[in-house]
Structures are given as C-alpha cells and as structure tokens.
Amino acid sequence: QVQLQESGGGLVQVGDSLRLSCTLSTRTINSYVGWFRQAPGKERESLAAISWPGTRTTYAGSVKGRFTISRDNVKGMVHLQMNNLKPEDTAVYYCAVNYRTLSLSVYDYDFWGQGTQVTVSS
C-alpha cells in the first residue's frame, strides 16, 4: 500500500505563489499522480495530473496557466506550483495516485493523502 503526504500549504495573500509537495512512500515507478482540492461545502475538484516519468501532464481549465505540476523522481515527489493565488483557491489540497491512466477524474485514483490547507486572504 502506498502512502502519500502533502506539504507546503499555508496562509498567503492574494497574488502570492505557493508550491505544494506530495511525497510517495513507495511505488513511484509507473505512478500517475493527480492534485485535487476541496473547499467547504463543495465537491472535490480536479486540478492537474502527471504521468510517469513526467512526460505528460493535464490540467483543469480553471487553473491552466496559473498552476504547474511537476515531479522529482529521485525524491519520489510531485509538486504543484500555484501562482497568482485568489481567494477562491482557498481549499484543502490533496494528492492521489493510480497506476493505470493519466486522468483528472477522482474515480480513477486509488490512494489519497490527508490533505494540506491553503488559505488565500484578501
């Protein structure tokens, strides 16, 4: 069983940048990793996903151009660089992994982290 741990969340101001990290405990090879977020009272929203070893990426339209997903396969980490943050980006951010497909669907992911809070203050 693979475990994922998110880090890098916090309280920032509008227009700031933040980089989230997701560390996989094992089974990094052939992993597809996605980033998602969930705001209070809302459904979990897909943001971005990356293939192994990082040659393909996909983004939700709502964050394309502001968020960038990347991975460091030596360290077993996947990052989400978030720029020009807005109050509506406030949410708990999750990473997840599957070993089948590059996807933005929450239903394709098998293992999830506990999440990290991002709060954007105006």
Side-chain angles (χ1 to χ4, degrees):
Q1 178 132 348
V2 62
Q3 294 180 327
L4 300 94
Q5 179 66 59
E6 302 92 342
S7 60
L11 173 64
V12 296
Q13 302 296 313
V14 169
D16 284 352
S17 297
L18 203 59
R19 189 177 83 154
L20 304 182
S21 297
C22 172
T23 302
L24 279 69
S25 62
T26 185
R27 295 184 64 190
T28 56
I29 295 174
N30 294 329
S31 63
Y32 297 86
V33 178
W35 278 99
F36 305 83
R37 67 186 179 191
Q38 190 164 18
K42 295 189 176 181
E43 293 187 354
R44 193 161 294 191
E45 177 187 9
S46 305
L47 300 175
I50 190 166
S51 68
W52 172 267
T55 48
R56 291 183 295 148
T57 59
T58 185
Y59 294 91
S62 59
V63 301
K64 196 170 186 178
R66 285 197 305 132
F67 291 9
T68 302
I69 191 170
S70 62
R71 65 190 303 163
D72 181 338
N73 295 325
V74 174
K75 296 181 179 179
M77 299 177 74
V78 175
H79 305 293
L80 185 70
Q81 177 68 41
M82 305 187 295
N83 297 329
N84 190 24
L85 285 164
K86 307 174 182 180
E88 51 264 42
D89 293 317
T90 295
V92 178
Y93 284 69
Y94 300 89
C95 62
V97 66
N98 81 79
Y99 297 91
R100 298 178 301 280
T101 184
L102 183 65
S103 171
L104 289 177
S105 171
V106 299
Y107 301 105
D108 284 327
Y109 288 84
D110 304 308
F111 302 99
W112 293 78
Q114 295 298 308
T116 185
Q117 176 71 46
V118 173
T119 303
V120 184
S121 173
S122 56

